[in-house]
Amino acid sequence: MAIYMHAELPGVTTEQYEELNAALAALPGNAFEGVLAHVCVAGDTGLDVYDLWESREAMDAFMARMAPVARGLGWNAPPAPGTVAEVHRYWIPGDG
């Protein structure tokens, strides 16, 4: 079952976000495996991240890989999903 996730990242800058993503992309394998869509929005107080995952297991696996990397980059606390919900339906343009 697909999972929607929204996380608020107060105090996190776009530079920190890009640094984290580069470190994750440099890991062996595909650290982002299972994500169907990802959006990061910069606001006045930090970032908002919105993801669509193919399953809760895929999201949890990503979080387990991401947390130590974020800590290694000096993040006080790795991002935790604030809102997680099962998705009733989604579609991606171009899907048959």
Side-chain angles (χ1 to χ4, degrees):
M1 163 131 338
I3 299 294
Y4 162 83
M5 187 279 300
H6 170 235
E8 294 179 10
L9 309 177
V12 176
T13 67
T14 54
E15 291 81 12
Q16 290 170 306
Y17 168 86
E18 293 301 334
E19 183 181 31
L20 176 62
N21 275 288
L24 291 169
L27 293 175
N30 179 5
F32 308 102
E33 186 174 351
V35 69
L36 301 171
H38 173 82
V39 176
C40 177
V41 178
D44 293 337
T45 61
L47 303 178
D48 282 288
V49 173
Y50 305 87
D51 285 345
L52 178 62
W53 290 93
E54 65 184 16
S55 67
R56 181 173 291 275
E57 293 78 19
M59 181 187 73
D60 290 345
F62 171 78
M63 294 295 186
R65 290 190 81 184
M66 181 269 304
V69 174
R71 279 192 295 276
L73 294 174
W75 292 37
N76 292 331
T83 301
V84 176
E86 292 182 353
V87 173
H88 169 70
R89 178 186 301 267
Y90 73 92
W91 59 269
I92 298 172
D95 279 358

